[in-house]
Amino acid sequence: MTNDVLPPTTARWIDEAHGMLRSAFAETYACPFLIGTPGLHVPRRATRTLADPSSAGPDTLPPPPRTDESARLLILPLAKRSEFFADMITVGRTMNHDVVLRDITVSKFHAYFTIESSGIWLTDAGSRNGTRLDEMACVPRRATLVSIGGTIRFGVVELTLADAGEVWERLRRARLKNGTTWRER
């Protein structure tokens, strides 16, 4: 699975799943996912003091808060997207990782997954704030088997490992909570 076939935002994931049966979605996106809520702690940009607030351009004002369900859902495919470290799916704060978590408690290179015939393995890469699996701290540089439904915490970012069918269900519920009908083709 390459980066160009993956919808990048939750809203686009909802649109993608909306026109598919659960089985078709699971077949099209046959990879595990990390799902959660985007309560990310992003460092604030430097700001300047404006003498006259009325002269502020539209780019200086914060965006209005999103109130729809898709704003509270984070969908991250556990798939290889970068050319680096071909045998692992990397997790980190910087854009050169397969799974990017833009949170100040996530290390630049925080952890990595390997998918083998024996299962999905998670290894903390020696991160500053640690990785937890189902509330148990992962030993740095030691692989731990992860099960579908397992809760993983990278720093303070908490996500659940899910299969494509569960992701489809979450997307369906998000769309229904927004008051939009769900149409399966």
Side-chain angles (χ1 to χ4, degrees):
M1 184 172 303
T2 62
N3 192 19
D4 57 321
V5 296
L6 297 173
T9 65
T10 301
R12 287 205 35 216
W13 277 112
I14 289 173
D15 291 343
E16 184 79 10
H18 176 69
M20 297 178 147
L21 292 171
R22 178 185 170 135
S23 58
F25 184 84
E27 186 176 316
T28 302
Y29 301 105
C31 67
F33 288 81
L34 294 169
I35 57 176
T37 54
L40 304 180
H41 299 82
V42 179
R44 293 181 54 100
R45 289 188 315 195
T47 58
R48 327 179 232 181
T49 304
L50 298 172
D52 179 11
S54 65
S55 67
D59 59 337
T60 60
L61 300 174
R66 298 212 19 217
T67 57
D68 63 349
E69 184 66 15
S70 66
R72 295 187 296 270
L73 189 60
L74 186 64
I75 308 288
L76 301 166
L78 199 56
K80 192 70 192 154
R81 293 171 39 159
S82 76
E83 60 192 45
F84 304 109
F85 306 110
D87 58 337
M88 63 179 75
I89 298 167
T90 60
V91 178
R93 189 176 68 235
T94 57
M95 297 303 291
N96 62 326
H97 292 285
D98 302 306
V99 177
V100 177
L101 299 172
R102 301 286 306 216
D103 186 284
I104 59 175
T105 66
V106 175
S107 296
K108 290 179 184 177
F109 177 35
H110 197 97
Y112 60 91
F113 290 90
T114 53
I115 300 177
E116 301 174 1
S117 59
S118 59
I120 301 170
W121 296 84
L122 170 64
T123 304
D124 181 90
S127 64
R128 168 170 264 169
N129 293 311
T131 303
R132 299 181 78 75
L133 174 60
D134 295 326
E135 295 303 319
M136 298 291 294
C138 293
V139 177
R141 297 178 183 79
R142 184 177 298 160
T144 305
L145 185 64
V146 184
S147 300
I148 296 293
T151 301
I152 304 165
R153 185 179 300 170
F154 304 101
V156 300
V157 179
E158 188 172 288
L159 302 166
T160 301
L161 185 67
D163 62 16
E166 172 61 21
V167 170
W168 186 90
E169 290 291 339
R170 293 280 299 266
L171 292 169
R172 180 179 171 274
R173 286 194 302 266
R175 187 166 181 107
L176 293 174
K177 283 184 180 177
N178 289 341
T180 310
T181 60
W182 186 262
R183 178 183 72 252
E184 296 178 23
R185 288 188 235 163

